[in-house]
Amino acid sequence: MKCKCIRVLMITLATMIALTGSVLMAQQDKMILDSSKVSKKKGRSVVTFPHYQHIEAGLDCKACHHVYQNGKNVLDESQLEEGNPDIRCSKCHSAKLRLNLQQAFHDQCIGCHVRYQKEKKKTGPRYCGECHIRK
Amino acid sequence: MYDLIGGQLVSTAFVVFVSGLLYQGSRFFKLTKKKEWILPPLAGAEKRVKKTVVQYIVAGLTSLQGTLWKTDPLMMIVTSVFHVCLILAPIFLLGHNMLLDQSWGLSLWSLPESFTNGLTIVVLICAAFFMMRRLFLARVRAITSFHDYFVLLIAVAPFLTGFLAYHQWFDYRIVMILHILAGELMLITIPFTKLGHMLFFFLYRFFIGSEYSFTRGNRTW
Ligand code: HEM
Ligand code: HEM
């Protein structure tokens, strides 16, 4: 009886650790951003984006993810799920929008990093080679 | 570190560059305002003869005989190629225009990066040629001083470091800092060294040219 209890407990614990662990792993996974299919390949390497590190740094999801209506960001955060094609930047930022995909990425990433640098806060890279790392 | 070098110092360098050129330009006219002599206008030069197109071209080509083209054609070619690439590469570079766009919201169109990288290589090769000339040709070495090497180095440094940064050889962050410093040094020294020929070339060329043609010996500068 006592034995069984401990076994159940152990298995639950192990599963829980494995589960949370795998969630953490998935989030810590660096994201590969590649727009070369959309913007005719211009020869810059793909960008490894530490998504999780940005969330860790205390950034709001809505600082990057958006759905604009009348100039307001009305994104429903429950939409932010892995595999949802509607949240990909390429869903909206095509040649038709004011900012094409490459500009959307550059303006968002570098824009924020430069802003943070001006405010003397810990920030990310600004010069080409720190994001487009050659193999 | 990046902050200062990549921010304030860049603006400072551009301000010194532009105002330095304006200052040197105005000094040029101030120093030459006093006319030392007045020549009577040359009596009506020879009558203008109407030339055919072919004659124009022949005359143009003949006049090349009095230039560097006759005395040193290789130098003429190398220096022309050098200057074209030197001007085009940084102005139409994607990396520069993106930074410009980010900070001032304006940018020129850009050439493909592999092409500007090619232009950079050409600049470096031409610069190596100038260097060899100064080191090994006796008649050039005779008139070469430390200043000439120094200026050549200032002109080449942004290209060398830019090239290293593009290929991400050595430590990228350090190379980038060196590149920005080299670029700023070049912008700041242009008005105050012989690199000022970027401005004075045109002043000399056109004022002296007009002195001996349109204004018939009258100095207008
Ligand atoms: C003053 C501030 C300057 C800044 C902030 C700056 C910044 C940059 C950046 C970010 C790159 C791209 C590096 C990469 O691809 O990873 C670059 C490349 C380059 N820069 Fe500058 N630059 C400056 C001044 C200059 C000047 C004055 C010149 C020359 C007149 C110059 C010539 C070049 C060249 C030729 C390259 C490209 C080399 C290649 O593609 O092989 N730069 N610069
Ligand atoms: C904008 C128009 C410019 C014109 C019309 C011009 C014209 C000339 C001429 C006529 C020469 C003498 C011929 C020779 O020794 O090659 C020369 C040399 C030179 N120029 Fe320029 N130049 C310009 C801009 C620049 C700029 C922006 C730089 C770099 C900052 C530069 C760097 C040099 C160097 C380093 C030499 C000497 C090469 C040697 O060591 O012999 N030039 N240029």
Side-chain angles (χ1 to χ4, degrees):
Chain A
M1 182 65 196
K2 204 178 171 194
C3 226
K4 216 173 175 185
C5 254
I6 291 176
R7 241 178 77 196
V8 170
L9 198 73
M10 288 308 279
I11 292 173
T12 332
L13 218 75
T15 332
M16 270 169 70
I17 289 172
L19 271 177
T20 48
S22 74
V23 169
L24 279 178
M25 291 289 281
Q27 280 187 314
Q28 266 172 337
D29 256 352
K30 306 229 157 146
M31 227 176 244
I32 305 287
L33 303 179
D34 184 359
S35 66
S36 59
K37 278 190 223 82
V38 189
S39 68
K40 298 157 246 146
K41 200 135 184 56
K42 293 187 194 126
R44 281 280 171 177
S45 65
V46 297
V47 172
T48 310
F49 171 51
H51 189 247
Y52 188 65
Q53 195 176 330
H54 283 80
I55 298 168
E56 282 262 277
L59 295 174
D60 194 8
C61 308
K62 285 191 177 178
C64 302
H65 295 282
H66 51 242
V67 175
Y68 284 125
Q69 246 169 41
N70 301 325
K72 275 216 195 79
N73 189 353
V74 296
L75 174 75
D76 173 9
E77 288 194 16
S78 65
Q79 291 242 296
L80 293 177
E81 282 177 345
E82 210 160 319
N84 180 356
D86 290 345
I87 58 175
R88 306 314 285 251
C89 315
S90 54
K91 172 83 185 341
C92 308
H93 289 277
S94 58
K96 273 180 264 139
L97 215 58
R98 183 174 57 89
L99 299 174
N100 67 28
L101 188 57
Q102 187 191 319
Q103 287 166 324
F105 276 125
H106 280 156
D107 281 20
Q108 185 166 91
C109 313
I110 306 174
C112 175
H113 292 164
V114 169
R115 204 163 55 244
Y116 273 48
Q117 189 180 58
K118 286 211 182 101
E119 293 164 10
K120 307 250 178 265
K121 288 195 265 192
K122 198 165 186 301
T123 188
R126 167 182 189 186
Y127 297 114
C128 326
E130 288 169 273
C131 284
H132 300 283
I133 298 166
R134 279 172 200 274
K135 296 282 138 39
Chain B
M1 184 78 153
Y2 260 11
D3 270 29
L4 181 69
I5 293 173
Q8 233 134 35
L9 216 52
V10 179
S11 334
T12 312
F14 272 101
V15 170
V16 172
F17 174 62
V18 173
S19 53
L21 283 180
L22 286 176
Y23 166 72
Q24 293 287 38
S26 68
R27 218 164 63 103
F28 173 89
F29 286 105
K30 225 186 238 141
L31 287 173
T32 60
K33 209 154 94 194
K34 191 160 152 282
K35 306 277 189 276
E36 297 93 340
W37 70 84
I38 296 171
L39 279 183
L42 297 179
E46 78 254 44
K47 262 229 198 86
R48 286 179 65 91
V49 224
K50 254 201 141 106
K51 290 188 207 147
T52 64
V53 177
V54 176
Q55 280 170 322
Y56 260 117
I57 295 173
V58 170
L61 288 178
T62 330
S63 75
L64 275 182
Q65 301 292 314
T67 68
L68 194 62
W69 178 243
K70 180 64 184 284
T71 47
D72 197 344
L74 179 62
M75 181 65 186
M76 163 101 178
I77 293 169
V78 175
T79 196
S80 305
V81 169
F82 172 77
H83 280 91
V84 169
C85 297
L86 176 116
I87 305 284
L88 287 186
I91 292 182
F92 298 113
L93 189 78
L94 180 64
H96 288 174
N97 281 319
M98 275 184 47
L99 291 175
L100 215 60
D101 190 34
Q102 228 89 53
S103 44
W104 295 345
L106 60 91
S107 67
L108 299 155
W109 44 267
S110 306
L111 294 163
E113 293 200 278
S114 49
F115 187 70
T116 43
N117 185 42
L119 295 182
T120 305
I121 294 174
V122 172
V123 169
L124 292 176
I125 293 174
C126 294
F129 172 83
F130 294 145
M131 180 82 173
M132 292 301 164
R133 230 172 73 93
R134 291 198 177 276
L135 282 174
F136 298 118
L137 269 189
R139 71 188 152 84
V140 185
R141 192 161 72 187
I143 54 163
T144 295
S145 64
F146 172 74
H147 184 72
D148 297 295
Y149 291 118
F150 182 63
V151 164
L152 192 58
L153 184 73
I154 288 181
V156 169
F159 291 86
L160 190 60
T161 49
F163 180 79
L164 293 179
Y166 179 71
H167 291 281
Q168 295 174 20
W169 290 345
F170 308 112
D171 183 88
Y172 184 79
R173 303 191 106 223
I174 292 175
V175 169
M176 204 60 231
I177 288 176
L178 290 178
H179 174 69
I180 298 173
L181 283 175
E184 285 159 351
L185 183 67
M186 174 172 150
L187 288 173
I188 289 174
T189 50
I190 281 179
F192 307 106
T193 60
K194 68 173 191 169
L195 291 177
H197 72 268
M198 179 184 165
L199 169 68
F200 291 123
F201 172 85
F202 294 100
L203 297 184
Y204 296 145
R205 181 64 191 84
F206 289 105
F207 282 113
I208 297 179
S210 85
E211 186 173 334
Y212 289 105
S213 54
F214 303 126
T215 61
R216 303 216 190 99
N218 272 324
R219 190 156 65 84
T220 50
W221 43 294

